[in-house]
Amino acid sequence: MDITKAQITKIAREVNKFVVRRLKKDGIGSSEFDLIHVVRKHDGISQAGICKILGTDKGAVARQVASLVKRGYIRKLDDPNDKRASLIYPTAKAEELKISKRHVETIYYEYILRVLNEDEKKIFASLLEKVYLCSKEESKSEFQNLNKIVEGDSNE
């Protein structure tokens, strides 16, 4: 039984809705932001690499890349190892977008945490950090433990 009632997911969904609406004011859709995020995390990535990470088809990625290059969020340079391919890099504008997104998220979280007093905020932040670190550790292991649990449940 999930004692959290998926409330972490629900909060994340709500903050994401707010952020997406704010990004749209900058002319950026959520899938475009996801692509920019991948490029920022994988400096000099190929379009094929973006497709693999996002699980998106080549045509959609090519259209998004072209649009984001035109608007100055990313840049393409020839791959020195393959003249037919390009490598994609973030621009300063992409980095500013990250800062803008984080700023909007911070405002959101500060706003919703106003219902807690200072001691409650410290306790909540400490517990959240503990849960986050567990989640991150599992992610880094390619979800080995969780996959075992899921596969065990699916065989019953």
Side-chain angles (χ1 to χ4, degrees), residues 27-28 32-33 35-36 39 45-47 50 60-78 86-94 97:
I28 297 293
E32 289 175 315
F33 185 82
L35 190 146
I36 291 168
V39 171
I45 192 169
S46 67
Q47 283 188 193
I50 294 170
V61 168
R63 286 188 297 278
Q64 286 181 325
V65 165
S67 175
L68 292 169
V69 166
K70 186 176 180 180
R71 292 185 287 159
Y73 288 98
I74 58 177
R75 59 192 173 97
K76 286 172 66 174
L77 299 174
D78 291 336
S86 297
L87 300 178
I88 302 164
Y89 298 87
T91 64
K93 193 173 180 179
L97 189 62

PDB file of all heavy atoms in Angstrom, residues 27-28 32-33 35-36 39 45-47 50 60-78 86-94 97:
ATOM      1  N   GLY A  27       7.545  30.803 -25.372  1.00  0.00           N
ATOM      2  CA  GLY A  27       7.452  30.116 -26.653  1.00  0.00           C
ATOM      3  C   GLY A  27       8.073  28.734 -26.675  1.00  0.00           C
ATOM      4  O   GLY A  27       8.428  28.219 -27.731  1.00  0.00           O
ATOM      5  N   ILE A  28       8.234  28.113 -25.499  1.00  0.00           N
ATOM      6  CA  ILE A  28       8.848  26.788 -25.406  1.00  0.00           C
ATOM      7  C   ILE A  28       7.806  25.787 -24.919  1.00  0.00           C
ATOM      8  O   ILE A  28       7.196  25.987 -23.870  1.00  0.00           O
ATOM      9  CB  ILE A  28      10.040  26.801 -24.423  1.00  0.00           C
ATOM     10  CG1 ILE A  28      11.134  27.722 -24.904  1.00  0.00           C
ATOM     11  CG2 ILE A  28      10.584  25.395 -24.185  1.00  0.00           C
ATOM     12  CD1 ILE A  28      11.824  27.259 -26.161  1.00  0.00           C
ATOM     13  N   GLU A  32       9.973  20.455 -26.248  1.00  0.00           N
ATOM     14  CA  GLU A  32      11.160  21.231 -26.619  1.00  0.00           C
ATOM     15  C   GLU A  32      12.062  21.429 -25.404  1.00  0.00           C
ATOM     16  O   GLU A  32      13.286  21.333 -25.509  1.00  0.00           O
ATOM     17  CB  GLU A  32      10.760  22.591 -27.192  1.00  0.00           C
ATOM     18  CG  GLU A  32      10.128  22.506 -28.551  1.00  0.00           C
ATOM     19  CD  GLU A  32       9.645  23.862 -29.037  1.00  0.00           C
ATOM     20  OE1 GLU A  32       9.023  24.600 -28.251  1.00  0.00           O
ATOM     21  OE2 GLU A  32       9.896  24.174 -30.214  1.00  0.00           O
ATOM     22  N   PHE A  33      11.451  21.687 -24.257  1.00  0.00           N
ATOM     23  CA  PHE A  33      12.255  21.850 -23.053  1.00  0.00           C
ATOM     24  C   PHE A  33      12.981  20.557 -22.725  1.00  0.00           C
ATOM     25  O   PHE A  33      14.149  20.567 -22.337  1.00  0.00           O
ATOM     26  CB  PHE A  33      11.422  22.311 -21.849  1.00  0.00           C
ATOM     27  CG  PHE A  33      12.283  22.595 -20.670  1.00  0.00           C
ATOM     28  CD1 PHE A  33      12.932  23.814 -20.552  1.00  0.00           C
ATOM     29  CD2 PHE A  33      12.519  21.628 -19.708  1.00  0.00           C
ATOM     30  CE1 PHE A  33      13.788  24.060 -19.484  1.00  0.00           C
ATOM     31  CE2 PHE A  33      13.368  21.871 -18.642  1.00  0.00           C
ATOM     32  CZ  PHE A  33      14.000  23.091 -18.530  1.00  0.00           C
ATOM     33  N   LEU A  35      14.021  18.311 -24.810  1.00  0.00           N
ATOM     34  CA  LEU A  35      15.137  18.191 -25.751  1.00  0.00           C
ATOM     35  C   LEU A  35      16.290  19.106 -25.331  1.00  0.00           C
ATOM     36  O   LEU A  35      17.454  18.682 -25.312  1.00  0.00           O
ATOM     37  CB  LEU A  35      14.680  18.521 -27.169  1.00  0.00           C
ATOM     38  CG  LEU A  35      15.699  18.194 -28.266  1.00  0.00           C
ATOM     39  CD1 LEU A  35      14.978  17.746 -29.528  1.00  0.00           C
ATOM     40  CD2 LEU A  35      16.595  19.363 -28.576  1.00  0.00           C
ATOM     41  N   ILE A  36      15.983  20.332 -24.965  1.00  0.00           N
ATOM     42  CA  ILE A  36      17.020  21.269 -24.512  1.00  0.00           C
ATOM     43  C   ILE A  36      17.724  20.703 -23.280  1.00  0.00           C
ATOM     44  O   ILE A  36      18.944  20.776 -23.160  1.00  0.00           O
ATOM     45  CB  ILE A  36      16.419  22.667 -24.221  1.00  0.00           C
ATOM     46  CG1 ILE A  36      15.974  23.326 -25.533  1.00  0.00           C
ATOM     47  CG2 ILE A  36      17.418  23.555 -23.484  1.00  0.00           C
ATOM     48  CD1 ILE A  36      15.117  24.571 -25.338  1.00  0.00           C
ATOM     49  N   VAL A  39      20.203  18.065 -24.316  1.00  0.00           N
ATOM     50  CA  VAL A  39      21.379  18.681 -24.939  1.00  0.00           C
ATOM     51  C   VAL A  39      22.270  19.322 -23.877  1.00  0.00           C
ATOM     52  O   VAL A  39      23.502  19.206 -23.941  1.00  0.00           O
ATOM     53  CB  VAL A  39      20.962  19.710 -26.024  1.00  0.00           C
ATOM     54  CG1 VAL A  39      22.156  20.505 -26.521  1.00  0.00           C
ATOM     55  CG2 VAL A  39      20.262  19.002 -27.179  1.00  0.00           C
ATOM     56  N   ILE A  45      25.885  16.139 -28.284  1.00  0.00           N
ATOM     57  CA  ILE A  45      25.143  14.906 -28.570  1.00  0.00           C
ATOM     58  C   ILE A  45      24.662  14.910 -30.022  1.00  0.00           C
ATOM     59  O   ILE A  45      24.459  15.968 -30.625  1.00  0.00           O
ATOM     60  CB  ILE A  45      23.956  14.753 -27.593  1.00  0.00           C
ATOM     61  CG1 ILE A  45      23.334  13.353 -27.670  1.00  0.00           C
ATOM     62  CG2 ILE A  45      22.908  15.837 -27.818  1.00  0.00           C
ATOM     63  CD1 ILE A  45      22.338  13.066 -26.556  1.00  0.00           C
ATOM     64  N   SER A  46      24.474  13.736 -30.566  1.00  0.00           N
ATOM     65  CA  SER A  46      23.926  13.616 -31.921  1.00  0.00           C
ATOM     66  C   SER A  46      22.401  13.568 -31.850  1.00  0.00           C
ATOM     67  O   SER A  46      21.831  13.325 -30.783  1.00  0.00           O
ATOM     68  CB  SER A  46      24.433  12.323 -32.577  1.00  0.00           C
ATOM     69  OG  SER A  46      23.882  11.196 -31.902  1.00  0.00           O
ATOM     70  N   GLN A  47      21.747  13.775 -32.980  1.00  0.00           N
ATOM     71  CA  GLN A  47      20.287  13.658 -33.015  1.00  0.00           C
ATOM     72  C   GLN A  47      19.865  12.233 -32.681  1.00  0.00           C
ATOM     73  O   GLN A  47      18.864  12.023 -31.998  1.00  0.00           O
ATOM     74  CB  GLN A  47      19.731  14.094 -34.379  1.00  0.00           C
ATOM     75  CG  GLN A  47      19.713  15.581 -34.529  1.00  0.00           C
ATOM     76  CD  GLN A  47      18.993  16.075 -35.767  1.00  0.00           C
ATOM     77  OE1 GLN A  47      19.143  17.236 -36.090  1.00  0.00           O
ATOM     78  NE2 GLN A  47      18.234  15.272 -36.448  1.00  0.00           N
ATOM     79  N   ILE A  50      19.809  11.895 -29.016  1.00  0.00           N
ATOM     80  CA  ILE A  50      18.613  12.538 -28.454  1.00  0.00           C
ATOM     81  C   ILE A  50      17.416  11.603 -28.597  1.00  0.00           C
ATOM     82  O   ILE A  50      16.640  11.416 -27.652  1.00  0.00           O
ATOM     83  CB  ILE A  50      18.344  13.894 -29.132  1.00  0.00           C
ATOM     84  CG1 ILE A  50      19.464  14.879 -28.808  1.00  0.00           C
ATOM     85  CG2 ILE A  50      16.986  14.453 -28.697  1.00  0.00           C
ATOM     86  CD1 ILE A  50      19.425  16.164 -29.613  1.00  0.00           C
ATOM     87  N   ALA A  60      10.604  13.785 -35.597  1.00  0.00           N
ATOM     88  CA  ALA A  60      10.180  14.755 -34.579  1.00  0.00           C
ATOM     89  C   ALA A  60      11.390  15.481 -33.996  1.00  0.00           C
ATOM     90  O   ALA A  60      11.360  16.707 -33.820  1.00  0.00           O
ATOM     91  CB  ALA A  60       9.395  14.049 -33.476  1.00  0.00           C
ATOM     92  N   VAL A  61      12.447  14.733 -33.720  1.00  0.00           N
ATOM     93  CA  VAL A  61      13.663  15.346 -33.167  1.00  0.00           C
ATOM     94  C   VAL A  61      14.278  16.303 -34.179  1.00  0.00           C
ATOM     95  O   VAL A  61      14.682  17.410 -33.826  1.00  0.00           O
ATOM     96  CB  VAL A  61      14.674  14.274 -32.707  1.00  0.00           C
ATOM     97  CG1 VAL A  61      16.030  14.891 -32.409  1.00  0.00           C
ATOM     98  CG2 VAL A  61      14.144  13.553 -31.473  1.00  0.00           C
ATOM     99  N   ALA A  62      14.325  15.907 -35.439  1.00  0.00           N
ATOM    100  CA  ALA A  62      14.895  16.774 -36.482  1.00  0.00           C
ATOM    101  C   ALA A  62      14.123  18.097 -36.577  1.00  0.00           C
ATOM    102  O   ALA A  62      14.734  19.172 -36.690  1.00  0.00           O
ATOM    103  CB  ALA A  62      14.890  16.057 -37.820  1.00  0.00           C
ATOM    104  N   ARG A  63      12.796  18.017 -36.518  1.00  0.00           N
ATOM    105  CA  ARG A  63      11.981  19.245 -36.580  1.00  0.00           C
ATOM    106  C   ARG A  63      12.230  20.134 -35.359  1.00  0.00           C
ATOM    107  O   ARG A  63      12.377  21.354 -35.488  1.00  0.00           O
ATOM    108  CB  ARG A  63      10.492  18.893 -36.681  1.00  0.00           C
ATOM    109  CG  ARG A  63      10.085  18.379 -38.044  1.00  0.00           C
ATOM    110  CD  ARG A  63       8.576  18.219 -38.179  1.00  0.00           C
ATOM    111  NE  ARG A  63       8.017  17.232 -37.246  1.00  0.00           N
ATOM    112  CZ  ARG A  63       8.005  15.918 -37.436  1.00  0.00           C
ATOM    113  NH1 ARG A  63       8.532  15.425 -38.539  1.00  0.00           N
ATOM    114  NH2 ARG A  63       7.469  15.105 -36.549  1.00  0.00           N
ATOM    115  N   GLN A  64      12.279  19.517 -34.178  1.00  0.00           N
ATOM    116  CA  GLN A  64      12.526  20.297 -32.965  1.00  0.00           C
ATOM    117  C   GLN A  64      13.911  20.921 -32.974  1.00  0.00           C
ATOM    118  O   GLN A  64      14.069  22.088 -32.603  1.00  0.00           O
ATOM    119  CB  GLN A  64      12.358  19.427 -31.719  1.00  0.00           C
ATOM    120  CG  GLN A  64      10.920  19.107 -31.392  1.00  0.00           C
ATOM    121  CD  GLN A  64      10.809  18.269 -30.138  1.00  0.00           C
ATOM    122  OE1 GLN A  64      11.656  17.432 -29.867  1.00  0.00           O
ATOM    123  NE2 GLN A  64       9.755  18.500 -29.373  1.00  0.00           N
ATOM    124  N   VAL A  65      14.905  20.152 -33.386  1.00  0.00           N
ATOM    125  CA  VAL A  65      16.276  20.679 -33.449  1.00  0.00           C
ATOM    126  C   VAL A  65      16.325  21.875 -34.389  1.00  0.00           C
ATOM    127  O   VAL A  65      16.874  22.930 -34.045  1.00  0.00           O
ATOM    128  CB  VAL A  65      17.288  19.586 -33.860  1.00  0.00           C
ATOM    129  CG1 VAL A  65      18.625  20.194 -34.268  1.00  0.00           C
ATOM    130  CG2 VAL A  65      17.476  18.583 -32.724  1.00  0.00           C
ATOM    131  N   ALA A  66      15.744  21.742 -35.562  1.00  0.00           N
ATOM    132  CA  ALA A  66      15.748  22.846 -36.539  1.00  0.00           C
ATOM    133  C   ALA A  66      15.085  24.092 -35.949  1.00  0.00           C
ATOM    134  O   ALA A  66      15.601  25.213 -36.085  1.00  0.00           O
ATOM    135  CB  ALA A  66      15.051  22.415 -37.822  1.00  0.00           C
ATOM    136  N   SER A  67      13.958  23.895 -35.279  1.00  0.00           N
ATOM    137  CA  SER A  67      13.241  25.015 -34.681  1.00  0.00           C
ATOM    138  C   SER A  67      14.043  25.659 -33.552  1.00  0.00           C
ATOM    139  O   SER A  67      14.128  26.888 -33.464  1.00  0.00           O
ATOM    140  CB  SER A  67      11.886  24.525 -34.144  1.00  0.00           C
ATOM    141  OG  SER A  67      11.225  25.555 -33.458  1.00  0.00           O
ATOM    142  N   LEU A  68      14.661  24.852 -32.727  1.00  0.00           N
ATOM    143  CA  LEU A  68      15.422  25.386 -31.597  1.00  0.00           C
ATOM    144  C   LEU A  68      16.726  26.046 -32.039  1.00  0.00           C
ATOM    145  O   LEU A  68      17.168  27.013 -31.419  1.00  0.00           O
ATOM    146  CB  LEU A  68      15.685  24.284 -30.569  1.00  0.00           C
ATOM    147  CG  LEU A  68      14.433  23.788 -29.828  1.00  0.00           C
ATOM    148  CD1 LEU A  68      14.739  22.516 -29.041  1.00  0.00           C
ATOM    149  CD2 LEU A  68      13.858  24.868 -28.924  1.00  0.00           C
ATOM    150  N   VAL A  69      17.324  25.548 -33.120  1.00  0.00           N
ATOM    151  CA  VAL A  69      18.508  26.205 -33.691  1.00  0.00           C
ATOM    152  C   VAL A  69      18.101  27.580 -34.207  1.00  0.00           C
ATOM    153  O   VAL A  69      18.759  28.592 -33.918  1.00  0.00           O
ATOM    154  CB  VAL A  69      19.137  25.357 -34.816  1.00  0.00           C
ATOM    155  CG1 VAL A  69      20.135  26.179 -35.624  1.00  0.00           C
ATOM    156  CG2 VAL A  69      19.816  24.116 -34.240  1.00  0.00           C
ATOM    157  N   LYS A  70      16.998  27.622 -34.933  1.00  0.00           N
ATOM    158  CA  LYS A  70      16.507  28.873 -35.517  1.00  0.00           C
ATOM    159  C   LYS A  70      16.204  29.916 -34.428  1.00  0.00           C
ATOM    160  O   LYS A  70      16.444  31.111 -34.622  1.00  0.00           O
ATOM    161  CB  LYS A  70      15.243  28.584 -36.335  1.00  0.00           C
ATOM    162  CG  LYS A  70      14.713  29.747 -37.100  1.00  0.00           C
ATOM    163  CD  LYS A  70      13.529  29.313 -37.952  1.00  0.00           C
ATOM    164  CE  LYS A  70      12.970  30.470 -38.743  1.00  0.00           C
ATOM    165  NZ  LYS A  70      11.826  30.061 -39.574  1.00  0.00           N
ATOM    166  N   ARG A  71      15.726  29.457 -33.286  1.00  0.00           N
ATOM    167  CA  ARG A  71      15.367  30.368 -32.198  1.00  0.00           C
ATOM    168  C   ARG A  71      16.517  30.624 -31.222  1.00  0.00           C
ATOM    169  O   ARG A  71      16.369  31.358 -30.251  1.00  0.00           O
ATOM    170  CB  ARG A  71      14.145  29.844 -31.448  1.00  0.00           C
ATOM    171  CG  ARG A  71      12.908  29.902 -32.355  1.00  0.00           C
ATOM    172  CD  ARG A  71      11.659  29.522 -31.642  1.00  0.00           C
ATOM    173  NE  ARG A  71      11.648  28.082 -31.399  1.00  0.00           N
ATOM    174  CZ  ARG A  71      10.907  27.482 -30.476  1.00  0.00           C
ATOM    175  NH1 ARG A  71      10.131  28.178 -29.699  1.00  0.00           N
ATOM    176  NH2 ARG A  71      10.950  26.184 -30.336  1.00  0.00           N
ATOM    177  N   GLY A  72      17.680  29.993 -31.485  1.00  0.00           N
ATOM    178  CA  GLY A  72      18.884  30.299 -30.720  1.00  0.00           C
ATOM    179  C   GLY A  72      19.065  29.552 -29.405  1.00  0.00           C
ATOM    180  O   GLY A  72      19.896  29.954 -28.589  1.00  0.00           O
ATOM    181  N   TYR A  73      18.338  28.457 -29.203  1.00  0.00           N
ATOM    182  CA  TYR A  73      18.491  27.694 -27.959  1.00  0.00           C
ATOM    183  C   TYR A  73      19.599  26.643 -28.042  1.00  0.00           C
ATOM    184  O   TYR A  73      20.189  26.288 -27.027  1.00  0.00           O
ATOM    185  CB  TYR A  73      17.179  27.010 -27.570  1.00  0.00           C
ATOM    186  CG  TYR A  73      16.144  27.987 -27.075  1.00  0.00           C
ATOM    187  CD1 TYR A  73      15.140  28.460 -27.907  1.00  0.00           C
ATOM    188  CD2 TYR A  73      16.180  28.456 -25.765  1.00  0.00           C
ATOM    189  CE1 TYR A  73      14.186  29.364 -27.456  1.00  0.00           C
ATOM    190  CE2 TYR A  73      15.249  29.367 -25.303  1.00  0.00           C
ATOM    191  CZ  TYR A  73      14.254  29.817 -26.153  1.00  0.00           C
ATOM    192  OH  TYR A  73      13.326  30.715 -25.704  1.00  0.00           O
ATOM    193  N   ILE A  74      19.841  26.144 -29.248  1.00  0.00           N
ATOM    194  CA  ILE A  74      20.898  25.155 -29.447  1.00  0.00           C
ATOM    195  C   ILE A  74      21.638  25.492 -30.735  1.00  0.00           C
ATOM    196  O   ILE A  74      21.157  26.273 -31.553  1.00  0.00           O
ATOM    197  CB  ILE A  74      20.345  23.701 -29.506  1.00  0.00           C
ATOM    198  CG1 ILE A  74      19.316  23.551 -30.618  1.00  0.00           C
ATOM    199  CG2 ILE A  74      19.777  23.286 -28.164  1.00  0.00           C
ATOM    200  CD1 ILE A  74      18.778  22.126 -30.788  1.00  0.00           C
ATOM    201  N   ARG A  75      22.816  24.883 -30.900  1.00  0.00           N
ATOM    202  CA  ARG A  75      23.566  25.075 -32.146  1.00  0.00           C
ATOM    203  C   ARG A  75      24.072  23.720 -32.620  1.00  0.00           C
ATOM    204  O   ARG A  75      24.295  22.805 -31.817  1.00  0.00           O
ATOM    205  CB  ARG A  75      24.715  26.061 -31.966  1.00  0.00           C
ATOM    206  CG  ARG A  75      25.725  25.680 -30.945  1.00  0.00           C
ATOM    207  CD  ARG A  75      26.674  26.849 -30.618  1.00  0.00           C
ATOM    208  NE  ARG A  75      27.520  26.486 -29.512  1.00  0.00           N
ATOM    209  CZ  ARG A  75      28.743  26.010 -29.631  1.00  0.00           C
ATOM    210  NH1 ARG A  75      29.299  25.881 -30.820  1.00  0.00           N
ATOM    211  NH2 ARG A  75      29.455  25.689 -28.573  1.00  0.00           N
ATOM    212  N   LYS A  76      24.222  23.605 -33.920  1.00  0.00           N
ATOM    213  CA  LYS A  76      24.711  22.363 -34.527  1.00  0.00           C
ATOM    214  C   LYS A  76      26.070  22.627 -35.151  1.00  0.00           C
ATOM    215  O   LYS A  76      26.260  23.624 -35.830  1.00  0.00           O
ATOM    216  CB  LYS A  76      23.748  21.905 -35.637  1.00  0.00           C
ATOM    217  CG  LYS A  76      22.462  21.328 -35.145  1.00  0.00           C
ATOM    218  CD  LYS A  76      21.475  21.071 -36.273  1.00  0.00           C
ATOM    219  CE  LYS A  76      21.957  20.014 -37.213  1.00  0.00           C
ATOM    220  NZ  LYS A  76      20.955  19.639 -38.226  1.00  0.00           N
ATOM    221  N   LEU A  77      26.991  21.697 -34.905  1.00  0.00           N
ATOM    222  CA  LEU A  77      28.308  21.764 -35.521  1.00  0.00           C
ATOM    223  C   LEU A  77      28.572  20.432 -36.206  1.00  0.00           C
ATOM    224  O   LEU A  77      28.080  19.388 -35.764  1.00  0.00           O
ATOM    225  CB  LEU A  77      29.386  22.023 -34.474  1.00  0.00           C
ATOM    226  CG  LEU A  77      29.278  23.329 -33.687  1.00  0.00           C
ATOM    227  CD1 LEU A  77      30.331  23.380 -32.594  1.00  0.00           C
ATOM    228  CD2 LEU A  77      29.410  24.523 -34.612  1.00  0.00           C
ATOM    229  N   ASP A  78      29.357  20.470 -37.281  1.00  0.00           N
ATOM    230  CA  ASP A  78      29.695  19.232 -37.979  1.00  0.00           C
ATOM    231  C   ASP A  78      30.453  18.295 -37.049  1.00  0.00           C
ATOM    232  O   ASP A  78      31.329  18.728 -36.293  1.00  0.00           O
ATOM    233  CB  ASP A  78      30.547  19.520 -39.217  1.00  0.00           C
ATOM    234  CG  ASP A  78      29.763  20.229 -40.300  1.00  0.00           C
ATOM    235  OD1 ASP A  78      28.510  20.108 -40.317  1.00  0.00           O
ATOM    236  OD2 ASP A  78      30.386  20.906 -41.142  1.00  0.00           O
ATOM    237  N   SER A  86      25.865  15.743 -37.373  1.00  0.00           N
ATOM    238  CA  SER A  86      26.096  16.979 -36.624  1.00  0.00           C
ATOM    239  C   SER A  86      26.063  16.673 -35.136  1.00  0.00           C
ATOM    240  O   SER A  86      25.421  15.716 -34.702  1.00  0.00           O
ATOM    241  CB  SER A  86      24.984  17.995 -36.924  1.00  0.00           C
ATOM    242  OG  SER A  86      24.980  18.359 -38.271  1.00  0.00           O
ATOM    243  N   LEU A  87      26.746  17.500 -34.387  1.00  0.00           N
ATOM    244  CA  LEU A  87      26.702  17.426 -32.935  1.00  0.00           C
ATOM    245  C   LEU A  87      25.969  18.663 -32.434  1.00  0.00           C
ATOM    246  O   LEU A  87      26.112  19.754 -32.994  1.00  0.00           O
ATOM    247  CB  LEU A  87      28.116  17.352 -32.363  1.00  0.00           C
ATOM    248  CG  LEU A  87      28.937  16.149 -32.832  1.00  0.00           C
ATOM    249  CD1 LEU A  87      30.343  16.204 -32.253  1.00  0.00           C
ATOM    250  CD2 LEU A  87      28.247  14.842 -32.457  1.00  0.00           C
ATOM    251  N   ILE A  88      25.205  18.488 -31.387  1.00  0.00           N
ATOM    252  CA  ILE A  88      24.317  19.544 -30.920  1.00  0.00           C
ATOM    253  C   ILE A  88      24.760  20.024 -29.542  1.00  0.00           C
ATOM    254  O   ILE A  88      25.037  19.218 -28.650  1.00  0.00           O
ATOM    255  CB  ILE A  88      22.864  19.041 -30.907  1.00  0.00           C
ATOM    256  CG1 ILE A  88      22.500  18.583 -32.328  1.00  0.00           C
ATOM    257  CG2 ILE A  88      21.913  20.122 -30.419  1.00  0.00           C
ATOM    258  CD1 ILE A  88      21.279  17.735 -32.405  1.00  0.00           C
ATOM    259  N   TYR A  89      24.806  21.348 -29.406  1.00  0.00           N
ATOM    260  CA  TYR A  89      25.284  21.980 -28.182  1.00  0.00           C
ATOM    261  C   TYR A  89      24.272  23.019 -27.698  1.00  0.00           C
ATOM    262  O   TYR A  89      23.592  23.656 -28.503  1.00  0.00           O
ATOM    263  CB  TYR A  89      26.615  22.699 -28.441  1.00  0.00           C
ATOM    264  CG  TYR A  89      27.720  21.779 -28.876  1.00  0.00           C
ATOM    265  CD1 TYR A  89      27.901  21.446 -30.216  1.00  0.00           C
ATOM    266  CD2 TYR A  89      28.586  21.224 -27.927  1.00  0.00           C
ATOM    267  CE1 TYR A  89      28.921  20.590 -30.608  1.00  0.00           C
ATOM    268  CE2 TYR A  89      29.613  20.374 -28.325  1.00  0.00           C
ATOM    269  CZ  TYR A  89      29.762  20.061 -29.661  1.00  0.00           C
ATOM    270  OH  TYR A  89      30.775  19.207 -30.046  1.00  0.00           O
ATOM    271  N   PRO A  90      24.205  23.229 -26.378  1.00  0.00           N
ATOM    272  CA  PRO A  90      23.322  24.280 -25.858  1.00  0.00           C
ATOM    273  C   PRO A  90      23.964  25.655 -26.064  1.00  0.00           C
ATOM    274  O   PRO A  90      25.181  25.772 -26.170  1.00  0.00           O
ATOM    275  CB  PRO A  90      23.227  23.947 -24.369  1.00  0.00           C
ATOM    276  CG  PRO A  90      24.525  23.271 -24.061  1.00  0.00           C
ATOM    277  CD  PRO A  90      24.895  22.504 -25.315  1.00  0.00           C
ATOM    278  N   THR A  91      23.142  26.651 -26.127  1.00  0.00           N
ATOM    279  CA  THR A  91      23.627  28.033 -26.187  1.00  0.00           C
ATOM    280  C   THR A  91      23.398  28.686 -24.828  1.00  0.00           C
ATOM    281  O   THR A  91      22.777  28.099 -23.933  1.00  0.00           O
ATOM    282  CB  THR A  91      22.873  28.839 -27.261  1.00  0.00           C
ATOM    283  OG1 THR A  91      21.494  28.913 -26.869  1.00  0.00           O
ATOM    284  CG2 THR A  91      23.004  28.207 -28.636  1.00  0.00           C
ATOM    285  N   ALA A  92      23.862  29.904 -24.694  1.00  0.00           N
ATOM    286  CA  ALA A  92      23.633  30.662 -23.455  1.00  0.00           C
ATOM    287  C   ALA A  92      22.134  30.829 -23.215  1.00  0.00           C
ATOM    288  O   ALA A  92      21.679  30.796 -22.068  1.00  0.00           O
ATOM    289  CB  ALA A  92      24.322  32.019 -23.538  1.00  0.00           C
ATOM    290  N   LYS A  93      21.383  30.942 -24.284  1.00  0.00           N
ATOM    291  CA  LYS A  93      19.931  31.089 -24.162  1.00  0.00           C
ATOM    292  C   LYS A  93      19.316  29.836 -23.531  1.00  0.00           C
ATOM    293  O   LYS A  93      18.374  29.932 -22.741  1.00  0.00           O
ATOM    294  CB  LYS A  93      19.323  31.358 -25.546  1.00  0.00           C
ATOM    295  CG  LYS A  93      17.905  31.825 -25.529  1.00  0.00           C
ATOM    296  CD  LYS A  93      17.470  32.234 -26.932  1.00  0.00           C
ATOM    297  CE  LYS A  93      16.047  32.712 -26.951  1.00  0.00           C
ATOM    298  NZ  LYS A  93      15.617  33.125 -28.290  1.00  0.00           N
ATOM    299  N   ALA A  94      19.845  28.667 -23.841  1.00  0.00           N
ATOM    300  CA  ALA A  94      19.374  27.414 -23.232  1.00  0.00           C
ATOM    301  C   ALA A  94      19.690  27.409 -21.742  1.00  0.00           C
ATOM    302  O   ALA A  94      18.884  26.951 -20.927  1.00  0.00           O
ATOM    303  CB  ALA A  94      20.003  26.214 -23.919  1.00  0.00           C
ATOM    304  N   LEU A  97      17.292  29.582 -19.918  1.00  0.00           N
ATOM    305  CA  LEU A  97      15.996  28.916 -19.801  1.00  0.00           C
ATOM    306  C   LEU A  97      15.991  27.999 -18.576  1.00  0.00           C
ATOM    307  O   LEU A  97      15.019  27.930 -17.833  1.00  0.00           O
ATOM    308  CB  LEU A  97      15.698  28.119 -21.071  1.00  0.00           C
ATOM    309  CG  LEU A  97      14.314  27.542 -21.206  1.00  0.00           C
ATOM    310  CD1 LEU A  97      13.271  28.643 -21.242  1.00  0.00           C
ATOM    311  CD2 LEU A  97      14.220  26.706 -22.469  1.00  0.00           C
TER     312      LEU A  97
END
